[in-house]
Amino acid sequence: MIPAANRYTAILDASVLFPNMKRDLLLRFFEADLYRASWTERIQQEWLTNAISQYPDQEKALRRTDGLMRTHFASAWIETEYEAFVEAIALPDLDDRHVVAAAIAGSANYIVTDNIKHFPAAELDRFGIEAGTADAFLAGTFEHYEGPALVVLREHRAGLRAAPSAAEYLMMLRQKQMPRLASRLMPLRDYL
């Protein structure tokens, strides 16, 4: 186990919780104690509502995922009054201010989002927060904790229904907009 003081705390935005594979990898890295993840009820409802809207035939499975996240990751929910920070935040999309507010309230160092342009560095710097894509975050976390992260990724690949080969798995990561993570894994594909 990695000492708590050495772990990043990251807010997971709805944009990275919506795609199944990204959500799964982010939550597996969190479960393996490679970082601390946080999100709010509003973030949870945003990704869940969008997913059900896009995939209405999978509503039952998506609601099951919601329930599992609530049960297995109960410590991740930010329940403090983060809304008090919203007015102090200036973002291009005002609807994203709650994510930064949650990061402030949850003492997060990082926002994992695939909507980077919505979170300008100049504004986040005021609060000592960085933002990056799920791919950048996972690849960076892999670099810091290569051994434990490789175990997580090996288990993830083995648990997929199609049981892809290592090469197929790397291709899947690229197809799911995680090319940096795939590149980091390429030299280690024999260990996947």
Side-chain angles (χ1 to χ4, degrees), residues 155-182:
E155 289 171 357
H156 180 253
R157 181 180 75 83
L160 293 172
R161 260 184 260 154
S165 68
E168 290 168 334
Y169 184 68
L170 295 176
M171 181 63 71
M172 287 175 68
L173 290 174
R174 287 186 190 91
Q175 290 170 343
K176 301 294 184 180
Q177 289 80 46
M178 292 181 276
R180 290 173 76 174
L181 181 58

Side-chain angles (χ1 to χ4, degrees), residues 22-41:
K22 285 181 185 176
R23 179 181 62 246
D24 194 21
L25 287 174
L26 286 163
L27 294 178
R28 284 172 180 263
F29 273 42
F30 172 38
E31 190 173 43
D33 208 27
L34 303 182
Y35 77 105
R36 289 183 298 239
S38 293
W39 57 88
T40 64
E41 182 63 29

Side-chain angles (χ1 to χ4, degrees), residues 23-148:
R23 179 181 62 246
D24 194 21
L25 287 174
L26 286 163
L27 294 178
R28 284 172 180 263
F29 273 42
F30 172 38
E31 190 173 43
D33 208 27
L34 303 182
Y35 77 105
R36 289 183 298 239
S38 293
W39 57 88
T40 64
E41 182 63 29
R42 184 171 174 181
I43 291 169
Q44 184 77 356
Q45 288 306 313
E46 185 179 332
W47 82 258
L48 183 61
T49 301
N50 289 334
I52 290 170
S53 175
Q54 189 165 345
Y55 303 105
D57 59 319
Q58 295 182 25
E59 181 173 358
K60 185 177 180 181
L62 289 164
R63 292 209 181 273
R64 181 177 179 275
T65 298
D66 174 49
L68 290 170
M69 287 174 71
R70 290 173 188 282
T71 301
H72 294 292
F73 301 106
S75 67
W77 301 86
I78 293 178
E79 307 215 6
T80 60
E81 296 297 321
Y82 65 91
E83 295 288 346
F85 298 109
V86 168
E87 294 303 318
I89 301 162
L91 294 178
D93 184 344
L94 298 180
D95 288 340
D96 286 325
R97 295 181 302 171
H98 71 98
V99 178
V100 179
I104 294 166
S107 301
N109 320 82
Y110 206 88
I111 295 172
V112 183
T113 180
D114 283 346
N115 294 323
I116 291 297
K117 66 180 188 266
H118 293 193
F119 299 92
E123 181 64 11
L124 296 184
D125 286 347
R126 291 181 40 216
F127 305 105
I129 300 168
E130 292 178 68
T133 65
D135 185 33
F137 184 76
L138 289 166
T141 303
F142 179 81
E143 286 178 10
H144 288 291
Y145 307 112
E146 187 175 293

